[in-house]
Amino acid sequence: FTEIDDQEIPYGMKSFFDLNFPNKTPEKIIKYKVPDAITGILYRANFENGTQIDFVEEGRWKNIKFHLGFDIEEDILTNILVPEIKEYINEDQPHAKILTISNEDYGTCFALDNKEQLAFSWKTFLGYVLYSDNYNQLPKISQDFLLKHFPHIEVKDIIDLKRDETWKTRYKVWLDD
């Protein structure tokens, strides 16, 4: 990898910093020689406080990792951490800190320091993210369906949809095709 200067930063990254970190400047931005084969990550911005942000080739953000957890009341990331999401996390997980935020196919995933992962599609809570290697947490009938109809496709993400008194447990599964 190589360290890059301001003139080499893609427009998408500059816009992201201006919108989400208006008074903060990355300490260092590095560019990998080739994008990661699995994640597509090509750039990493490191901030003085240990926060790291990964970007794909065109400068779209992929992951934000907070070194000591993110104080949800801090005045950054206002475009990602919209009021509806802040309110939901404060009510559902009042003492948790955000460790990572990832930009996923289904929307945005917030990984918390209490091991919970919350999935949102824009402002709407989708459910709790299960690790794709916890495929066995799906009901047997769902596992059998996936094996029968998608035998050579890997499970990418599993979301345990929000449950209340009227819902039975339901899952959404994203496949890596």
Side-chain angles (χ1 to χ4, degrees), residues 52-160:
Q52 294 180 333
I53 306 172
D54 294 329
F55 296 86
V56 294
E57 194 163 0
E58 65 277 3
R60 185 175 51 83
W61 75 278
K62 180 67 180 160
N63 300 308
I64 305 169
K65 299 172 189 166
F66 300 100
H67 176 64
L68 297 173
F70 172 68
D71 178 2
I72 200 165
E73 298 308 321
E74 194 172 340
D75 195 24
I76 59 171
L77 297 171
T78 54
N79 194 42
I80 297 167
L81 197 57
V82 295
E84 293 85 352
I85 293 176
K86 263 185 166 178
E87 183 179 317
Y88 188 90
I89 293 173
N90 275 333
E91 287 177 13
D92 190 58
Q93 308 287 329
H95 304 292
K97 286 195 173 213
I98 298 170
L99 295 180
T100 63
I101 303 173
S102 26
N103 195 355
E104 302 294 343
D105 292 339
Y106 55 79
T108 308
C109 176
F110 293 83
L112 308 177
D113 62 354
N114 62 2
K115 308 283 190 240
E116 292 285 2
Q117 293 190 47
L118 308 179
F120 290 86
S121 177
W122 181 227
K123 299 176 182 182
T124 305
F125 177 66
L126 295 175
Y128 297 92
V129 178
L130 305 176
Y131 294 103
S132 58
D133 57 352
N134 285 343
Y135 175 74
N136 61 353
Q137 290 185 10
L138 287 172
K140 176 85 169 102
I141 193 169
S142 300
Q143 292 177 37
D144 292 345
F145 175 85
L146 290 169
L147 286 172
K148 180 180 179 184
H149 297 286
F150 304 99
H152 303 295
I153 298 177
E154 187 177 329
V155 173
K156 186 173 181 183
D157 289 302
I158 303 169
I159 296 182
D160 181 358

Side-chain angles (χ1 to χ4, degrees), residues 38-51:
I38 296 171
T39 64
I41 291 171
L42 184 63
Y43 300 95
R44 174 167 286 162
N46 296 306
F47 287 80
E48 190 176 318
N49 66 359
T51 297

